[in-house]
Each structure stands twice: as structure tokens, then as C-alpha cells.
Amino acid sequence: MLSLAVLLSALSFAKLAIGEPYNTFDGPGFPACNDVLQVFRPSTIDEMSAIVKDAVGKGQMDICGVRFQFRQEDFRFRVNEDLDDTMCSDDPNTIIIKTDAVNGISDFVLQDGVGSVVVEAGATFPQVAEWLHARGASLSYTLVNWNITIAGAMAMGAHRSSLREDSQVSSAALAFDIINGNGDLVHLEKDQTNDTWLAATTSLGLLGVIARVKLGVLADFKVYADQTILDEDDVLNGDIYAQISPYVTANYWWWPGQKKFHLRTYGVVPTSHPGNAFQSTFSVTDTEAALALDLLNSGQNLSLPNFATEGIFFGLWSAPNFHDKPTNLPLLLWPVHGYAYDVLIGGLYPGLKAEWDYGLRAKTLEFAVPVTQANALLKRIRELFDQAAADGKAVTSTYRRYGTLAKTLIDEFPVRPHWTKNTRDIFRQAVKNLDEDSLQRFAKVREQFDPRKTFKSIVGEIIGVV
């Protein structure tokens, strides 16, 4: 049986022999899929449909996909952990449809500050954001990292962090077309009361290939970013909802070795406000990358170097990770101001490479928990940190092993896993925290779209909807 893997993110193209891994942009050793027969790179939606029809006609089936959906009341917690290859099934005959060449933008409308635009499967966030900015429009807060496609982010439930605004990518969708398991194009209009719409807007890639999306847009606007330092006790024993809910989006960074938090907040300012800030979380120079590698590697087997490294990183992160966009000069003081996409997401600074190009690769474990339990969860984590210190294995933000932490949180809290930022083992442990009724309703919609089970993934198999 041939496994059809539809990866809707911008991953590098390669012609593969049977059974070879298909890597993420991190390169060899970081597979998105373990065993891939062939990669297709169509240039039109018709070609995408034809690939699916051809596979089905030959009796060649299966798929992959992954990510997830948050309720607005969720509090997201992320730490470091080993990441697994969860995007495809393990069938060595897997094929991939790479959508990056199908990236048209059309049908733009903007009237009285509200409008819409249609984007094809391979259009990325920076591509669309720049296109809209040139026309005085914006994607609002439904934004995620700059190096993935909008359709892929939508299928996988990607999101920002906000208690106040709609910030999941799929919430911006007004309609979309999806290629189902027969290779046919199915059109869907937004209906939040309909299980088909709800399943398709976080489909995990298991209903088919999202071919095009009609997105709601707004007139372009500016925001500020500000950051403060909080004592650990102010967060663990504070009113977390009150600390973050007034803002359009907000994030905490926990530095357990320092017993401090950074609280990053964002809000709207008039478009006339001066400032053209541009954020980059990933840009590093050659020297910075070499120093970071030395610091991180020194703490692989000892706790003490990790405390020194965390202290350095804490100091660096206390300053704005923003440049002035026109001059590319660093901004030194908070708050900073600029257009929404540039401040909320940004990208790479001119002439610099990303961390992973130097072998600096993040390892993530990410859960969602109701915000009403955020304090209890963080306090439980601090208990585990203190116990580790008492056992002679003190933990900092650069620590690499969190097996006990993950199991404790899954067992003691109703945490739900992020669909792309966890290992297979984490998914297996966390299945008990997923709503069985929602899974069954999703499986029924999947049966309608893909009765032959053309599209598959490890995550779909683990949660029982394949």
C-alpha cells in the first residue's frame, strides 16, 4: 500500500529512493517522515488533484499531517523535549505532495477597513503579509511563524497566544477548497455550528489537501511590543488571567534558574505612531551561533554551566529582539512600535541565517491547559524543579530531559498536546485527555472525505481517527 503524505509546510524538495527519510528544514537527522517513496511538486491545483486521483486509481493509499486547535481560555505551556517524526505513517511507500509552487494570491477586496483575499496552498505568511501590506491590509492576529504556509498552518490548528482575540489561523478562514480522498475539489463555507467545517479547519491533514483559502483581512494597523521582568512568585501566585487578558496577545518566558519571568505584551497603536520595528527570534550571526553552541554543549552533562548559560540568555532576552526595519539597526529600549506583521512575527534580519543553519535546534514539548489551572500547573512544575535540585540535578531553561515532567503533567492535569511539537510517546500518554466525543465526530467527517483512508499520519493513528 502506498502512503500519500501531504506536507503543507515549506520543506526542501528532494527526489528520494524508496524508504528514504524526508527531512524538515533542520536537515539530515530531523525527518518529518521516515520512509518516503516519491515527492511531487505540482504547480497548479489541477495537478494536485490529478496526483491524488492517480494514486487512488492505482489502489495506492494513505497520508500524513499534524497540528492542533486551542480554545481561547487555554493557557499554553512549552518546554524542551526530543521531537519525534510524526507527520506521516511509517509505510515505506509514502508519497508527498509539496505545495510550495502553488502559491497564488487573488480576489482581494477591502472596503471600510474589512475585506478578504484568496490564497493558494503554498502561499506563506510573509508572502501574503507583504502582498497585503502593499495594499494597505493585514491578516490581523491569525499569524504564526514566518517559514510555513497558511494552508498548512490552518490544517494543523496553528495559533498565536491570546485570550482576547481570535488568533488561531483557521479563525480567519471564510471559505476554502479541499482535495478529498477521491481527488475531487470540495468547497466549504464558514459555519461554526457544522461538524464538517470544524473538522476541516483543523483536519490534521487527514481529510485531504487544502487547495485554496478565502481569508478575512483588515486594514493594516500598528502595534506595540513591551516586555517586563517579573519575579517567579508574582506569576505562580498571581492572577495570570488578569496579567495577560488585557492584551491582544501575550507570552511568558520562564527562567527557572533565575526564578524570573519575562512577560511580553502587545497592543494596538494609531497607524500614525512613529516606528517601524521588525522582530526576529531566530536570526544569529556566525559569532553568536558559535558562542551559543559552546555554552549549550558545556551543560549537556553538568548543571552548573546551564545556570551560567541561562543567566547570559536571560540578559540577552531582556533587551528587544527587534531592529528598525528601514535601517536594520537594533532597537535598544522597550516598548517598540511597528506594523502588525513585522512586530508580531517578523522574520530574519537581512544577511543573517537562522539558528538551525548553525546546528542550534529547538526541542519542544507543548501542552494546553485551561487558564484556570495555570497557577496550579506552574506550581507543580516548580515542585518538580525543586525536587530535581534536591536530587543533585538542578534544572534551568536550557535543560534537555523532561520525561518525568511530561508524565506528571499528563497524569495530573487535563493537558492536551500540540499536534506538531511532541513525541509519539507524549501523544500516546495524552490520548486519555482528549475528548472522545470530539474524536468520534471528527472520524465521521473523515469517513465522508476519505473513505479509502488515502491520507494518514502517526498522530491520526495514535488518537484513533485513521
Side-chain angles (χ1 to χ4, degrees), residues 63-292:
I63 185 182
C64 111
V66 211
R67 239 169 249 186
F68 98 132
Q69 184 172 1
F70 268 140
R71 301 182 307 239
Q72 280 197 336
E73 66 269 23
D74 282 334
F75 179 81
R76 183 167 51 130
F77 178 75
R78 179 192 301 171
V79 297
N80 290 335
E81 181 56 275
D82 290 328
L83 191 63
D84 241 351
D85 43 341
T86 55
M87 286 192 171
C88 300
S89 75
D90 285 335
D91 190 325
N93 293 310
T94 295
I95 65 172
I96 290 173
I97 300 175
K98 187 173 183 290
T99 63
D100 66 310
V102 187
N103 58 18
I105 305 173
S106 63
D107 300 315
F108 172 65
V109 176
L110 185 67
Q111 186 173 5
D112 298 326
V114 179
S116 62
V117 69
V118 174
V119 303
E120 291 184 334
T124 63
F125 279 91
Q127 176 192 355
V128 176
E130 291 169 9
W131 193 94
L132 290 174
H133 178 66
R135 292 159 177 80
S138 166
L139 288 167
S140 187
Y141 303 106
T142 53
L143 309 169
V144 292
N145 283 352
W146 48 272
N147 57 345
I148 60 178
T149 67
I150 290 178
M154 176 176 152
M156 306 312 177
H159 57 89
R160 285 191 64 79
S161 300
S162 180
L163 297 176
R164 202 181 93 180
E165 305 288 340
D166 288 335
S167 59
Q168 183 168 314
V169 175
S170 63
S171 65
L174 303 175
F176 65 96
D177 296 329
I178 185 170
I179 300 169
N180 68 11
N182 297 319
D184 298 325
L185 207 61
V186 178
H187 182 75
L188 297 175
E189 294 281 341
K190 187 170 188 173
D191 182 357
Q192 291 289 89
T193 67
N194 185 285
D195 275 2
T196 299
W197 176 264
L198 295 175
T201 49
T202 307
S203 66
L204 310 185
L206 297 174
L207 304 188
V209 189
I210 295 179
R212 65 172 69 92
V213 185
K214 181 180 181 181
L215 296 167
V217 299
L218 300 176
D220 212 353
F221 61 99
K222 279 188 169 184
V223 299
Y224 71 83
D226 200 4
Q227 185 167 282
T228 56
I229 298 173
L230 302 176
D231 290 334
E232 188 178 88
D233 185 68
D234 293 336
V235 178
L236 271 59
N237 295 301
D239 188 338
I240 289 176
Y241 186 89
Q243 289 177 9
I244 63 178
S245 60
Y247 305 101
V248 297
T249 184
N251 307 92
Y252 290 106
W253 278 269
W254 193 358
W255 306 87
Q258 316 298 308
K259 294 194 175 181
K260 299 285 186 181
F261 278 83
H262 281 122
L263 173 59
R264 177 77 62 86
T265 56
Y266 300 85
V268 178
V269 296
T271 54
S272 59
H273 196 289
N276 287 286
F278 183 84
Q279 178 175 194
S280 182
T281 306
F282 306 105
S283 298
V284 290
T285 66
D286 294 351
T287 301
E288 289 169 340
L291 290 172

